[in-house]
C-alpha cells in the first residue's frame, strides 16, 4: 500500500535573536511568494534538510549560522492517518510519532555516519521506500535524496537537467536505469546484485564445461591411455600385494631394530653409572682405609663392614649381569641389521623387476604415466558432471528473475506511457515538438536542446508526466510535490499565466503541491491576483517578504511561543 505525506506546518526558530518563521500548508496548492532573496527557496530547502538531506546544507549556510531549529509537522497516510513531527537541531534529529516514544538520532551531519545510516533506514521503512543502488560493487539502500527526488525541483539545476535537483546521485552505478525501474514498477526488489552474480557464475560454469569437454574429447592421449590401462592391472595388483607383504615385514624389522638400539644405549649408560659407584665404594673401605681428613684409622662396627661388602658385591654382580645382556643385545642388533638389509634388497629388486616387466611394450614406468592420464581423464569427466549440476542450479535460480528481453519490453511499455503524457503536456505549454524521439523516452532521454522559458516548460512537462506515470506504481510513496522558482527565467506575462494554468489543471488529485516564485512591485500581477484569476482562490498563499531581502525570520508572536514551548519540550 502506498504511503502518502501531507505537510501541515513548518516552523523555524532562532534562539540567538528570538526570531522565527511559521506557516501552515493546505492539502492542495501552496504558493510561497515574496521578494527575491527573501527566503522562499530557504523554506523548501529547509524542509528537505529537516528530514536529514545534507545535500541542502551548503545552500542554507546563512540561516544555519544563526543556530536555528527546524520543525515540520505532517500527516502520514497509509492504512490510517498518523500525525508525525520531525525536528532538526544542527546534527540532531528528533522524530515524534503519535502515541509513540520520541526517537533521537545524534551526529547525522555526514551521510556516511552510522547515525545518518540508521536514520535513512528508519525513514525508508517508515515510508515504504526500498530502492537499492549500486556503489563500490554492492547494492545498498538508496539515499534520502533518491527518496525525495521525484517530488522536488530545485532552483539551481532542477530547471536545467532532469534528475539533478540533488548532487551526488550520479556516483551510483546505473543510477538512471535503477531509479526509473524502481519508480515505474519494473523492479522494486533488492535482487539486481544477486542476479548479476548468478549470471556471472553461469558464464563461468559454461566456459569451464566447454574447456573440459574439449580437452577430454579431443586429446588422443586420453583415448590411448584408456586402451592401455587394462593390460597392466593384473600385474600391478600382483606387485602391490607382494610389495605390501615385504614392506610390512621390513617395517617390523626396523621397529625391532630401533627398540634394541634404544635398549643398548640404556644398558651402556647404566654400566657407566655402576662403574662410578664401584669406584666410590672402593674408596670407602672401612677396613683398609683411613679418614681422608686426619689420616686416622676409622673404627667400624661389624654391621657397617657387612653392609659395605653387601653393596660392593651387589654392584659387581649387576655390572656382570649387564655386560652379558649387552653382549646379547649387540648380537641381536647385528642380526637385525643383516635381516633389514636383506629385506630392503628384496623390496628394491621387486620394484626393479616390475620396471623391467613389459606387456606389449608397456612397462611399469610408462604404465604409471599412462595411469596418470587415465586418472586425469576421469577427473575431467567428474568435474564436467559436477559443474553441470551447479550450472543447472544457477539456471533454476535465474528463472525467478526477469530476463533482459522481459526487462526491455517492460521499459519500452512504461517509456511509451510516459511519452504520451509528456507530449500532451509539451503541447499544452506550447513547447515546440522535438524532432528526435530520444528526447521523449525516459531511458534514452538526453539533455533537452532548449533554452530559457522553453527549457523551463519542457522540464515542467517532464516532472508532471513522470509523476503521472508513477501514480500507477502501487508501492511508490507519495510526497508533497515541491517546485522552487517556477518563474526562474525572465518569463513574460503570457507564459506566467500559461504555467500557472497548467499546474492548476494538471495537479495530482491526491497530492499536495508547494511552489514558489518571486514577486515585486515590478510584476504586473501579484500572487493573490494569480490565485483569484487562475486558481479560483483555492491556493494557499505564504508570504515571505515583499520589502526586505534576507528577512525570512521575524519577531516571534504569542502563538508561535506556545509552539516553541512544545518543540523544546520534545527535544529537552
Amino acid at each position: 500500500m502506498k504511503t502518502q505525506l501531507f505537510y501541515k506546518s513548518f516552523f523555524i526558530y532562532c534562539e540567538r535573536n528570538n526570531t522565527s518563521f511559521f506557516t501552515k500548508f493546505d492539502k492542495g496548492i501552496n504558493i510561497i511568494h515574496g521578494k527575491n532573496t527573501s527566503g522562499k527557496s530557504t523554506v523548501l530547502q529547509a524542509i528537505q534538510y529537516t528530514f536529514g538531506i545534507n545535500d541542502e546544507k551548503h545552500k542554507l549556510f546563512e540561516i544555519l549560522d544563526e543556530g536555528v531549529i527546524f520543525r515540520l509537522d505532517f500527516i502520514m497516510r497509509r492504512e490510517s492517518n498518523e500525525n508525525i513531527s520531525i525536528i532538526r537541531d544542527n546534527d540532531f534529529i528528533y522524530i515524534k510519532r503519535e502515541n509513540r516514544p520520541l526517537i533521537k538520532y545524534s551526529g547525522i551531519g555526514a551521510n556516511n555516519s552510522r547515525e545518518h545510516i540508521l536514520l535513512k533506514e528508519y525513514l525508508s521503512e517508515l515510508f515504504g521506500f526500498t530502492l537499492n543502488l549500486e556503489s563500490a560493487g554492492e547494492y545498498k539502500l538508496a539515499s534520502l535524496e533518491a527518496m525525495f527526488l521525484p517530488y522536488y525541483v530545485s532552483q539551481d539545476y532542477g530547471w536545467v537537467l532532469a534528475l539533478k535537483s540533488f548532487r551526488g546521485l550520479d556516483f551510483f552505478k546505473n543510477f538512471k536505469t535503477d531509479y526509473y525501474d524502481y519508480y515505474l514498477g519494473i523492479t522494486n526488489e533488492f535482487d539486481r546484485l544477486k542476479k548479476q552474480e548468478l549470471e556471472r557464475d553461469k558464464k563461468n560454469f559454461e566456459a569451464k564445461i566447454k574447456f573440459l569437454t574439449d580437452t577430454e574429447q579431443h586429446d588422443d592421449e586420453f583415448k590411448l591411455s584408456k586402451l592401455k590401462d587394462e593390460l597392466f592391472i593384473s600385474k600391478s595388483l600382483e606387485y602391490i600385494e607382494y610389495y605390501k607383504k615385504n614392506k610390512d615385514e621390513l617395517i617390523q624389522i626396523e621397529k625391532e631394530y630401533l627398540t634394541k638400539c634404544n635398549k643398548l644405549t640404556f644398558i651402556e649408560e647404566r654400566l657407566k653409572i655402576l662403574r662410578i659407584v664401584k669406584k666410590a665404594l672402593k674408596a670407602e673401605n672401612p677396613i683398609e682405609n683411613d679418614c681422608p681428613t686426619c689420616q686416622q684409622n676409622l673404627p667400624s662396627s661389624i654391621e657397617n663392614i657387612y653392609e659395605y661388602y653387601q653393596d660392593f658385591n651387589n654392584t659387581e654382580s649387576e655390572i656382570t649381569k649387564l655386560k652379558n645382556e649387552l653382549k646379547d643385545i649387540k648380537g641381536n642388533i647385528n642380526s637385525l641389521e643383516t635381516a633389514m638389509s636383506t629385506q630392503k634388497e628384496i623390496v628394491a629388486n621387486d620394484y626393479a623387476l616390475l620396471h623391467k616387466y613389459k606387456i606389449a611394450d608397456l612397462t611399469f614406468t610408462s604404465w604409471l604415466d599412462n595411469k596418470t592420464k587415465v586418472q586425469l581423464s576421469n577427473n575431467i569427466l567428474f568435474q564436467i558432471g559436477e559443474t553441470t549440476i551447479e550450472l543447472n542450479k544457477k539456471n533454476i535460480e535465474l528463472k525467478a528473475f526477469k530476463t533482459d528481453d522481459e526487462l526491455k519490453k517492460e521499459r519500452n511499455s512504461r517509456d511509451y506511457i510516459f511519452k504520451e503524457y509528456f507530449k500532451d503536456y509539451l503541447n499544452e505549454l506550447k513547447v515546440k515538438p522535438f524532432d528526435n524521439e530520444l528526447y521523449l523516452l525516459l531511458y534514452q532521454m538526453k539533455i533537452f536542446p532548449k533554452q530559457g522559458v522553453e527549457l523551463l516548460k519542457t522540464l515542467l512537462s517532464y516532472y508532471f508526466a513522470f509523476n503521472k506515470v508513477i501514480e500507477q506504481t502501487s508501492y511508490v510513496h507519495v510526497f508533497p510535490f515541491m517546485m522552487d522558482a517556477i518563474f526562474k527565467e525572465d518569463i513574460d506575462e503570457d507564459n506566467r499565466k500559461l504555467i500557472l494554468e497548467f499546474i492548476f489543471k494538471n495537479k495530482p488529485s491526491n497530492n499536495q503541491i508547494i511552489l514558489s516564485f518571486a514577486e515585486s512591485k515590478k510584476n504586473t500581477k501579484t500572487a493573490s491576483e494569480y490565485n483569484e484569476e487562475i486558481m479560483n482562490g483555492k491556493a494557499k498563499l505564504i508570504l515571505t517578504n515583499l520589502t526586505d531581502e534576507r528577512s525570512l525570520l521575524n519577531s516571534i508572536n504569542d502563538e508561535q511561543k506556545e509552539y516553541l514551548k512544545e518543540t523544546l519540550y520534545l527535544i529537552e
Side-chain angles (χ1 to χ4, degrees):
M1 179 177 289
K2 282 181 179 288
T3 299
Q4 187 167 13
L5 301 190
F6 293 99
Y7 296 159
K8 292 168 58 182
S9 62
F10 188 54
F11 178 59
I12 307 173
Y13 174 68
C14 174
E15 182 179 11
R16 183 186 306 167
N17 303 318
N18 196 33
T19 53
S20 67
F21 169 83
F22 179 80
T23 186
K24 293 182 179 180
F25 298 104
D26 281 353
K27 287 189 176 181
I29 296 178
N30 299 266
I31 300 175
I32 302 175
H33 63 106
K35 187 178 177 63
N36 274 325
T37 69
S38 62
K40 301 179 301 301
S41 296
T42 298
V43 174
L44 299 181
Q45 293 158 1
I47 289 174
Q48 314 278 20
Y49 177 77
T50 304
F51 278 103
I53 297 179
N54 293 316
D55 186 64
E56 302 288 39
K57 194 172 185 178
H58 70 286
K59 305 173 186 176
L60 297 169
F61 68 93
E62 285 190 19
I63 194 169
L64 291 177
D65 282 346
E66 298 183 38
V68 295
I69 296 174
F70 303 97
R71 172 177 172 177
L72 177 70
D73 291 300
F74 60 92
I75 297 172
M76 183 178 73
R77 176 181 295 169
R78 199 155 41 211
E79 290 87 357
S80 59
N81 291 343
E82 180 181 357
N83 290 299
I84 301 176
S85 297
I86 183 166
I87 302 166
R88 179 161 186 177
D89 180 6
N90 196 4
D91 285 348
F92 298 86
I93 279 186
Y94 308 83
I95 300 174
K96 183 64 177 74
R97 297 178 61 183
E98 212 169 346
N99 302 319
R100 300 196 185 202
L102 184 74
I103 300 172
K104 176 182 177 181
Y105 294 95
S106 307
I108 51 86
N111 287 354
N112 57 356
S113 72
R114 178 59 181 160
E115 285 290 292
H116 192 277
I117 292 171
L118 291 174
L119 170 67
K120 177 183 70 174
E121 291 172 350
Y122 178 82
L123 292 179
S124 295
E125 183 177 358
L126 181 64
F127 301 144
F129 179 67
T130 60
L131 171 61
N132 286 267
L133 297 173
E134 185 178 358
S135 177
E138 59 179 326
Y139 276 96
K140 296 180 180 179
L141 185 63
S143 62
L144 295 174
E145 286 84 347
M147 186 191 303
F148 283 81
L149 183 60
Y151 306 106
Y152 178 56
V153 186
S154 67
Q155 179 179 358
D156 44 13
Y157 289 107
W159 297 113
V160 180
L161 297 166
L163 308 181
K164 297 294 182 180
S165 287
F166 295 111
R167 303 177 303 171
L169 294 174
D170 285 340
F171 288 107
F172 294 102
K173 186 177 180 181
N174 300 320
F175 168 74
K176 180 178 177 180
T177 300
D178 288 342
Y179 173 81
Y180 284 142
D181 279 353
Y182 175 80
Y183 280 103
L184 297 177
I186 293 172
T187 175
N188 67 315
E189 64 274 19
F190 179 30
D191 60 14
R192 290 176 291 275
L193 186 59
K194 177 64 175 176
K195 183 181 178 184
Q196 289 177 6
E197 290 174 351
L198 289 172
E199 289 174 339
R200 184 169 58 250
D201 290 343
K202 178 184 175 182
K203 289 180 180 178
N204 290 338
F205 287 142
E206 288 173 341
K208 184 177 180 180
I209 290 172
K210 185 178 185 304
F211 171 76
L212 293 172
T213 302
D214 289 346
T215 302
E216 206 281 329
Q217 290 182 351
H218 298 98
D219 196 324
D220 292 337
E221 287 294 321
F222 286 150
K223 296 179 181 178
L224 292 173
S225 296
K226 291 178 180 179
L227 294 174
K228 295 176 182 179
D229 183 47
E230 301 300 327
L231 298 175
F232 222 94
I233 287 180
S234 59
K235 185 63 181 177
S236 63
L237 291 175
E238 178 186 336
Y239 165 74
I240 289 170
E241 287 299 320
Y242 194 63
Y243 173 82
K244 183 176 180 297
K245 175 178 174 294
N246 288 330
K247 189 66 176 177
D248 287 342
E249 291 179 7
L250 177 60
I251 291 170
Q252 291 301 318
I253 294 171
E254 288 174 337
K255 182 190 285 187
E256 188 176 357
Y257 174 78
L258 182 61
T259 302
K260 295 295 183 183
C261 288
N262 289 337
K263 189 169 184 181
L264 176 66
T265 303
F266 172 77
I267 292 172
E268 288 176 341
E269 290 297 318
R270 182 164 172 75
L271 272 174
K272 191 184 296 182
I273 294 171
L274 287 172
R275 288 190 181 104
I276 295 171
V277 171
K278 180 180 177 181
K279 183 178 178 182
L281 287 171
K282 281 184 177 183
E284 295 174 2
N285 192 326
I287 298 176
E288 299 178 359
N289 297 329
D290 296 330
C291 175
T293 302
C294 62
Q295 304 301 318
Q296 292 184 8
N297 186 264
L298 295 173
S300 300
S301 65
I302 294 175
E303 290 83 359
N304 290 338
I305 294 171
Y306 179 81
E307 185 178 354
Y308 165 77
Y309 279 111
Q310 184 69 30
D311 290 342
F312 186 86
N313 290 336
N314 287 344
T315 302
E316 186 69 32
S317 174
E318 185 67 19
I319 289 173
T320 302
K321 178 183 174 183
L322 289 176
K323 283 181 178 179
N324 292 332
E325 191 173 346
L326 188 63
K327 179 181 176 181
D328 292 340
I329 287 177
K330 282 186 176 180
N332 289 337
I333 288 175
N334 291 334
S335 298
L336 288 170
E337 284 179 345
T338 302
M340 191 164 54
S341 177
T342 302
Q343 194 66 20
K344 285 181 178 179
E345 188 175 351
I346 291 171
V347 172
N349 288 337
D350 286 343
Y351 187 72
L353 180 63
L354 187 67
H355 271 267
K356 295 176 182 178
Y357 184 81
K358 288 186 177 182
I359 298 178
D361 294 327
L362 185 67
T363 67
F364 181 71
T365 302
S366 61
W367 177 75
L368 281 179
D369 182 60
N370 186 77
K371 191 68 177 175
T372 302
K373 292 177 181 175
V374 172
Q375 187 60 46
L376 179 58
S377 177
N378 290 337
N379 287 342
I380 288 175
L381 292 174
F382 176 78
Q383 289 183 54
I384 291 174
E386 289 291 303
T387 306
T388 302
I389 292 172
E390 291 299 318
L391 177 60
N392 289 337
K393 289 180 181 177
K394 301 300 177 186
N395 284 329
I396 291 172
E397 290 183 63
L398 278 168
K399 287 181 179 178
F401 299 91
K402 296 173 183 176
T403 65
D404 289 341
D405 288 340
E406 289 173 332
L407 286 173
K408 186 176 180 180
K409 184 177 180 180
E410 288 195 36
R411 286 169 183 160
N412 287 340
S413 173
R414 302 299 197 285
D415 250 344
Y416 281 95
I417 293 173
F418 169 83
K419 174 186 171 182
E420 293 307 311
Y421 287 126
F422 192 28
K423 285 174 63 178
D424 288 345
Y425 291 156
L426 288 171
N427 186 52
E428 279 189 45
L429 288 168
K430 300 179 181 179
V431 178
K432 182 180 178 181
F434 289 105
D435 296 330
N436 192 332
E437 191 180 49
L438 293 181
Y439 296 110
L440 300 173
L441 301 175
L442 285 171
Y443 290 93
Q444 303 176 59
M445 191 175 287
K446 300 180 179 180
I447 297 174
F448 297 122
K450 303 283 185 181
Q451 291 182 344
V453 68
E454 284 285 286
L455 178 59
L456 187 145
K457 291 192 293 183
T458 299
L459 282 160
L460 183 62
S461 301
Y462 162 84
Y463 291 120
F464 270 76
F466 185 64
N467 271 268
K468 189 72 173 178
V469 176
I470 66 176
E471 281 182 12
Q472 303 169 23
T473 307
S474 60
Y475 56 79
V476 168
H477 57 280
V478 179
F479 287 173
F481 187 15
M482 302 199 301
M483 296 174 286
D484 192 12
I486 61 168
F487 298 153
K488 181 176 183 291
E489 303 295 336
D490 184 15
I491 299 177
D492 59 80
E493 181 59 27
D494 289 341
N495 274 310
R496 284 177 175 244
K497 290 181 61 177
L498 184 63
I499 289 170
L500 290 174
E501 287 171 352
F502 172 84
I503 292 173
F504 182 69
K505 175 185 176 183
N506 295 291
K507 69 181 188 313
S509 58
N510 63 341
N511 200 1
Q512 189 178 35
I513 289 181
I514 304 173
L515 57 89
S516 73
F517 61 78
E519 185 179 13
S520 69
K521 295 178 180 179
K522 295 180 181 179
N523 298 127
T524 56
K525 288 191 177 180
T526 64
S528 179
E529 289 174 324
Y530 282 131
N531 184 28
E532 293 298 327
E533 180 181 340
I534 297 173
M535 301 183 179
N536 302 325
K538 294 182 178 180
K540 163 79 174 181
L541 300 183
I542 302 168
L543 176 65
T544 51
N545 202 300
L546 287 177
T547 57
D548 300 324
E549 296 181 358
R550 293 177 172 81
S551 56
L552 180 64
L553 302 182
N554 295 290
S555 298
I556 190 167
N557 58 37
D558 291 339
E559 180 185 0
Q560 292 170 17
K561 285 180 181 178
E562 288 300 314
Y563 197 74
L564 172 63
K565 184 178 179 181
E566 179 188 343
T567 302
L568 295 177
Y569 173 78
L570 287 174
I571 65 177
E572 289 178 350

